[in-house]
């Protein structure tokens, strides 16, 4: 296959979305800065104008909804005054006004919800494209799988990006709506509050709009108390997401390796691992319960007391005949709106804590993607070269220990090499280095431009049609049906020829030997110039193994072949041998 990186221009060219330095943000200001860069990336992207237009439309709907609430407040004042005055004609007129206000509310709520959801999925789609591009760019997914990255990247891409888009919009627009609501109803509260006269040491202090200031003081005190009571919820939510993801991973692994577990009779061991993992969830959940209880008590206390405060403040003015019953009801409702708007932080505390933990995980994930710790490779593309040149190669394990001796090796076009040696000497690791997957060690590998293909012992079979599996990594339509059927017959999988369009989990359905034959069918379709096999026939009997190697030699003339294998019977299909040992490698002709 052509040796080119995936064309993720957005992932490669765009600056880091979140934290720019290769160090985790330490201070609160740095964390907020990293989260802000992550959040604003979409609004500065190529999709910014449609996104901003949709955002403005949602904000317009929110403003109209707030205006509807203010109109409803004035309607309530007029309605209660009508009831007080026993005005029957005005009563039915006010009911007609209510029907108009209610209809407008239904239409606005539906339009606002639809537009906000459309904006949410556009934002999530863009962020998912970016993070998927970064995850695949430079084979970052491979480094993550080998333990060189943040935990559970699948959860961060699937779940955290969803929560980021939905909760940021919900909370951000909710905050804006509450600010507008506060401004609108503050005018009503201020106008109906009057002035409170306080005698202080012989001096009279006039406090205009005193009911409004009471609402402000009450909300500020409640917000401060809520932050003190539930401050650890961010850390606890972060830990909970991590442990939930770990538990899901273990469940998926049981499903993927069901047969191996069954052969080992490993049910008890797996059940124990899962129970231990869930116990970690349960332990952290106890902390969530504790802090949720505290937050709930504080929230309920704040709400219940907040319902009494306006009655105590407004009652004296009503009984002093300084306002009508309609004014009394309007002021009570307006005070409630002001208090709720000022208390947005309190009512949304748990959602804010969750969103903060989501941003923390995404910033951490983006930082690792943008600055991988082991992105180096021993492989250097050499477009003008005609052979593979391995110079001064000294492979090492991740802990720094050496794998064999220094290797100098040249693979000329058309040669067929057999790599042999005892287990653990580094045969498969050498192939990983040739593929650009192994960063540990020193030396240089020059790889000429050309079509190359690597076959591991266990080939990857995507869930889908058999034709898609056969044509992988190319498109399923790249090869004709006749070509696909021909190669299936060649590798003795003719029984599958009629199932090219059948959708299945082929990795579960096919035996290891059938999977390896299917991998060779792929090779015959793609016709690589350089082919590397890592125990790619270990599950086959000698007869089928010989058949597949003969097919390679006969149908792909000029193929350069490198095989890692233990069986002596494969020597006949190769012209040279590389014997790896703990001390020194040996190169010889066959």
């Amino acid at each position: 296959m052509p040796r080119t990186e995936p064309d993720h221009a957005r992932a490669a060219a765009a600056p880091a979305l979140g934290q720019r330095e290769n160090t985790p943000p330490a201070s609160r200001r740095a964390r907020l800065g990293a989260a802000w860069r992550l959040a604003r990336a979409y609004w500065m992207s190529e999709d910014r104008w449609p996104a901003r237009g949709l955002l403005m439309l949602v904000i317009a709907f929110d403003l109209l909804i707030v205006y509807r609430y203010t109109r409803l407040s004035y309607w309530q004042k007029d309605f209660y005054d009508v009831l007080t005055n026993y005005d029957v004609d005005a009563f039915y007129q006010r009911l007609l006004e209510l029907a108009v206000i209610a209809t407008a509310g239904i239409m606005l709520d539906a339009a606002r919800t639809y537009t906000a959801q459309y904006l949410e999925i556009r934002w999530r789609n863009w962020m998912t494209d970016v993070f998927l591009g970064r995850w695949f760019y430079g084979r970052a997914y491979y480094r993550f799988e080998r333990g060189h990255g943040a935990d559970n990247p699948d959860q961060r891409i699937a779940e955290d990006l969803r929560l980021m888009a939905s909760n940021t919009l919900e909370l951000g627009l909710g905050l804006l709506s509450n600010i507008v609501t506060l401004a609108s109803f503050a005018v009503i509260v201020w106008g109906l509050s009057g002035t409170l006269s306080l005698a202080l040491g012989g001096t009279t202090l006039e406090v205009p709009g005193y009911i409004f200031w009471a609402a402000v003081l009450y909300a500020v005190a409640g917000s401060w108390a809520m932050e003190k009571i539930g401050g650890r919820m961010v850390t606890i939510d972060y830990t909970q997401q991590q442990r939930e993801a770990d538990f899901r991973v273990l469940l998926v692994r049981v499903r993927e390796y069901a047969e191996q577990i069954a052969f080992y009779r490993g049910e008890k061991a797996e059940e124990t691992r899962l129970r231990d993992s869930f116990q970690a969830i349960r332990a952290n959940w106890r902390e969530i319960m504790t802090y949720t209880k505290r937050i709930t008590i504080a929230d309920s206390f704040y709400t219940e007391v907040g319902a009494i405060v306006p009655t105590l403040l407004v009652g004296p003015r009503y009984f002093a005949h300084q306002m009508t019953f309609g004014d009394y009801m309007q002021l009570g409702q307006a005070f409630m709106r002001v208090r709720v708007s000022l208390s947005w932080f309190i009512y949304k505390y748990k959602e804010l804590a969750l969103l903060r933990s989501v941003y923390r995980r995404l910033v951490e994930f983006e930082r690792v993607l943008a600055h991988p710790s082991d992105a180096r490779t021993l492989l250097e593309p050499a477009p003008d070269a005609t052979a593979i040149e391995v110079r001064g190669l000294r492979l090492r394990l991740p802990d720094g220990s050496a794998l064999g001796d220094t290797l100098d090796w040249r693979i000329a076009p058309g040669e067929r090499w057999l790599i042999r040696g005892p287990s653990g000497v580094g045969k498969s690791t050498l192939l990983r280095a040739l593929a650009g997957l192994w960063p540990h060690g020193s030396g240089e590998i020059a790889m000429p431009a050309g079509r190359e293909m690597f076959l591991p012992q266990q080939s990857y079979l995507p869930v889908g049609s058999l034709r898609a599996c056969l044509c992988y990594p190319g498109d399923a339509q790249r090869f004709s049906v006749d070509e696909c059927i021909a190669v299936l017959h060649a590798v003795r999988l003719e029984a599958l020829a009629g199932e090219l369009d059948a959708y299945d989990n082929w990795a579960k359905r096919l035996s290891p030997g059938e999977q390896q034959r299917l991998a060779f069918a792929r090779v015959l379709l793609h016709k690589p110039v350089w082919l590397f096999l890592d125990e790619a026939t270990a599950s086959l009997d000698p007869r089928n193994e010989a058949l597949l190697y003969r097919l390679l030699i006969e149908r792909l003339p000029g193929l350069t072949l490198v095989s890692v294998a233990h069986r002596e019977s494969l020597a006949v299909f190769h012209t040279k041998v590389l014997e790896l040992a703990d001390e020194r490698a040996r190169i010889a002709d066959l």
Side-chain angles (χ1 to χ4, degrees):
M1 296 300 295
R3 194 184 162 279
T4 57
E5 296 289 355
D7 184 17
H8 298 305
R10 182 185 297 163
L17 299 180
Q19 182 66 13
R20 291 177 182 172
E21 295 79 22
N22 192 18
T23 55
S27 67
R28 174 172 292 188
R29 182 177 180 181
R31 290 196 298 269
L32 288 175
W36 167 245
R37 286 191 293 271
L38 188 66
R40 75 187 290 269
Y42 174 60
W43 307 99
M44 305 300 293
S45 71
E46 69 282 358
D47 198 39
R48 62 186 178 276
W49 294 117
R52 293 174 185 178
L54 288 169
L55 181 61
M56 291 300 103
L57 188 57
V58 175
I59 292 174
F61 285 136
D62 282 339
L63 294 177
L64 289 172
I65 290 171
V66 172
Y67 174 74
R68 171 184 171 271
Y69 287 145
T70 59
R71 290 304 308 154
L72 187 60
S73 172
Y74 284 104
W75 176 89
Q76 287 175 324
K77 173 189 178 306
D78 295 339
F79 182 74
Y80 286 115
D81 284 339
V82 165
L83 291 178
T84 303
N85 297 327
Y86 296 95
D87 189 339
V88 176
D89 292 336
F91 173 80
Y92 289 107
Q93 189 177 10
R94 295 296 174 267
L95 289 182
L96 181 60
E97 290 178 5
L98 179 61
V100 174
I101 294 173
T103 302
I106 293 171
M107 296 175 63
L108 286 172
D109 287 341
R112 193 266 183 203
T113 300
Y114 181 85
T115 307
Q117 287 181 334
Y118 183 51
L119 176 58
E120 176 187 329
I121 195 62
R122 287 184 72 107
W123 189 2
R124 182 186 176 189
N125 179 75
W126 188 88
M127 292 296 294
T128 301
D129 282 347
V130 169
F131 272 86
L132 284 178
R134 289 185 179 277
W135 196 40
F136 283 103
Y137 184 73
R139 299 191 178 97
Y141 67 92
Y142 179 76
R143 297 193 302 272
F144 273 69
E145 187 61 25
R146 298 188 66 83
H148 300 283
D151 61 275
N152 303 307
D154 51 328
Q155 183 207 25
R156 303 189 191 219
I157 294 174
E159 184 68 12
D160 288 344
L161 287 179
R162 179 186 67 82
L163 290 172
M164 173 191 166
S166 63
N167 288 16
T168 301
L169 284 175
E170 178 186 349
L171 294 172
L173 292 171
L175 176 60
L176 178 61
S177 177
N178 273 274
I179 292 173
V180 176
T181 300
L182 172 62
S184 301
F185 284 93
V187 174
I188 298 174
V189 173
W190 188 280
L192 294 174
S193 293
T195 301
L196 177 65
S197 298
L198 295 175
L200 297 175
T203 304
T204 300
L205 178 64
E206 301 290 335
V207 182
Y210 70 96
I211 297 179
F212 171 75
W213 294 117
V216 171
L217 291 175
Y218 186 74
V220 170
S223 299
W224 177 83
M226 186 64 74
E227 174 64 21
K228 291 297 182 182
I229 292 170
R232 287 200 65 241
M233 279 297 290
V234 175
T235 302
I236 296 172
D237 276 334
Y238 178 94
T239 303
Q240 189 69 16
Q241 291 180 71
Q242 187 178 51
R243 293 182 179 179
E244 294 280 5
D246 291 341
F247 184 61
R248 288 196 299 270
V249 167
L250 290 177
L251 289 170
V252 170
R253 287 182 64 83
V254 171
R255 187 181 66 191
E256 290 180 346
Y257 296 97
E259 186 175 51
Q260 293 92 323
I261 294 171
F263 272 123
Y264 276 108
R265 302 291 193 268
E267 296 85 2
K268 189 64 177 178
E270 294 301 319
E271 182 180 353
T272 300
R273 291 175 61 202
L274 286 168
R275 289 184 183 277
D276 290 343
S277 179
F278 189 78
Q279 286 305 311
I281 293 175
R282 181 179 177 181
N284 195 72
W285 187 257
R286 288 184 180 276
E287 286 200 72
I288 290 179
M289 290 168 57
T290 299
Y291 278 88
T292 300
K293 178 184 67 176
R294 296 175 184 176
I295 292 171
T296 302
I297 292 174
D299 180 61
S300 298
F301 179 84
Y302 178 83
T303 301
E304 296 301 330
V305 174
I308 299 173
V309 170
T311 303
L312 294 175
L313 294 175
V314 176
R317 293 202 66 210
Y318 175 74
F319 290 114
H321 300 284
Q322 295 176 351
M323 62 174 56
T324 67
F325 183 66
D327 291 333
Y328 174 84
M329 296 301 297
Q330 184 185 25
L331 182 55
Q333 291 294 319
F335 180 90
M336 184 272 292
R337 292 283 183 183
V338 169
R339 179 182 61 79
V340 169
S341 297
L342 289 169
S343 308
W344 178 84
F345 175 78
I346 295 175
Y347 293 128
K348 297 296 182 180
Y349 189 83
K350 287 188 287 187
E351 289 87 344
L352 285 167
L354 174 61
L355 184 61
R356 287 163 65 185
S357 68
V358 165
Y359 270 101
R360 177 178 168 185
R361 288 175 59 80
L362 287 176
V363 166
E364 178 186 87
F365 184 42
E366 196 278 332
R367 177 177 55 82
V368 176
L369 287 175
H371 302 279
S373 60
D374 59 349
R376 64 181 293 272
T377 176
L378 302 172
L379 182 65
E380 294 291 336
D384 298 330
T386 59
I388 298 176
E389 298 283 351
V390 178
R391 295 183 286 268
L393 182 65
R394 185 68 183 270
L395 297 176
R396 296 186 180 277
L397 295 173
D399 62 6
S401 56
L403 269 176
D405 196 13
T406 302
L407 177 64
D408 291 291
W409 184 30
R410 185 176 188 274
I411 306 174
E415 293 181 339
R416 300 196 297 273
W417 284 83
L418 178 64
I419 302 177
R420 296 188 301 204
S423 296
V425 78
K427 302 184 296 298
S428 296
T429 303
L430 176 58
L431 284 196
R432 293 189 185 101
L434 291 173
L437 301 179
W438 195 258
H440 310 291
S442 58
E444 182 181 308
I445 302 173
M447 178 74 74
R451 300 190 309 274
E452 71 226 28
M453 202 168 187
F454 288 79
L455 261 63
Q457 184 172 345
Q458 183 177 3
S459 292
Y460 171 65
L461 302 181
V463 175
S465 68
L466 178 62
R467 187 176 179 183
C469 284
L470 186 58
C471 299
Y472 186 85
D475 185 81
Q477 306 302 317
R478 177 178 175 183
F479 302 100
S480 68
V481 173
D482 290 340
E483 289 178 297
C484 293
I485 292 176
V487 295
L488 286 176
H489 278 271
V491 299
R492 294 182 177 173
L493 289 176
E494 58 274 359
L496 299 175
E499 298 191 59
L500 284 177
D501 295 324
Y503 187 98
D504 208 337
N505 185 347
W506 298 99
K508 298 295 184 183
R509 175 174 167 180
L510 301 181
S511 69
E514 289 173 325
Q515 293 182 38
Q516 291 189 336
R517 279 185 279 166
L518 186 65
F520 272 79
R522 281 180 185 167
V523 173
L524 297 178
L525 276 180
H526 287 282
K527 298 180 174 60
V529 175
W530 307 82
L531 179 62
F532 303 85
L533 308 178
D534 185 7
E535 298 281 358
T537 57
S539 298
L540 296 172
D541 59 276
R543 180 185 175 191
N544 277 304
E545 182 180 64
L547 167 70
L548 295 180
Y549 269 92
R550 282 196 298 269
L551 284 172
L552 294 179
I553 295 171
E554 294 169 2
R555 298 200 177 192
L556 302 177
L559 172 70
T560 303
L561 177 64
V562 178
S563 301
V564 170
H566 290 281
R567 294 177 181 173
E568 292 294 334
S569 59
L570 289 179
V572 68
F573 301 106
H574 299 81
T575 57
K576 295 180 177 292
V577 63
L578 171 63
E579 294 273 3
L580 295 181
D582 292 331
E583 296 181 355
R584 181 172 295 278
R586 184 180 70 88
I587 294 175
D589 293 327
L590 288 174

